[in-house]
């Protein structure tokens, strides 16, 4: 399961609305892909549909979809949002990551 902080929830709902998505019915798709300076990088998009191998759950009133392969890397992760002048945007606090890069967008296990 992926946790969603209150600040991330507010920003997700705001961005989904701005992009024409409905936060009450549509999903935040979270995944892991190869790449980045540490080997794997996070991928976050909005989606209106699910695929056969997706895990679907709701956390803090945010509907989240994760493919089964990515889910193994993301179990226990908290999605947070850091705004302001020094903010990084969405941040994944992943307890499974052994190493992360300075920008926080990639990791390795």
């Amino acid at each position: 399961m992926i946790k969603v902080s209150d600040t991330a929830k507010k920003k997700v709902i705001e961005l989904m609305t701005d992009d024409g998505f409905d936060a009450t019915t549509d999903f935040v798709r979270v995944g892991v892909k190869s790449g980045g300076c540490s080997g794997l990088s996070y991928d976050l998009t909005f989606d209106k549909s699910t695929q056969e191998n997706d895990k679907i759950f709701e956390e803090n009133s945010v509907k989240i979809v994760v493919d089964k392969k990515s889910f193994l890397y993301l179990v226990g992760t908290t999605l947070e949002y850091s705004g302001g002048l020094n903010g990084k945007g969405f941040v994944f606090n992943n307890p499974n990551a052994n190493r992360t890069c300075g920008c926080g967008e990639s990791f390795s296990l």
Side-chain angles (χ1 to χ4, degrees):
M1 180 155 186
I2 298 172
K3 296 181 173 109
V4 179
S5 72
D6 289 336
T7 54
K9 170 190 169 181
K10 290 175 188 172
K11 194 63 175 179
V12 162
I13 291 170
E14 176 188 326
L15 291 174
M16 286 183 89
T17 303
D18 290 349
D19 286 354
F21 290 88
D22 182 350
T24 62
T25 58
D26 298 330
F27 306 96
V28 175
R29 181 172 291 280
V30 181
V32 173
K33 60 184 179 181
S34 294
C37 47
S38 292
L40 297 169
S41 62
Y42 299 106
D43 189 32
L44 187 143
T45 58
F46 304 132
D47 205 337
K48 293 180 182 271
S49 60
T50 60
Q51 305 297 319
E52 182 179 332
N53 290 323
D54 285 340
K55 289 193 169 282
I56 306 163
F57 52 93
E58 189 169 328
E59 165 64 23
N60 200 4
S61 302
V62 175
K63 293 179 183 353
I64 300 174
V65 175
V66 182
D67 65 87
K68 286 183 182 178
K69 181 180 174 187
S70 294
F71 186 75
L72 297 173
Y73 295 108
L74 297 170
V75 171
T77 296
T78 301
L79 176 62
E80 298 188 20
Y81 183 80
S82 176
L85 293 175
N86 295 325
K88 296 180 179 179
F90 287 105
V91 177
F92 293 87
N93 288 324
N94 187 342
N96 304 308
N98 289 335
R99 185 173 46 113
T100 60
C101 68
C103 64
E105 294 178 9
S106 68
F107 67 101
S108 66
L109 299 176

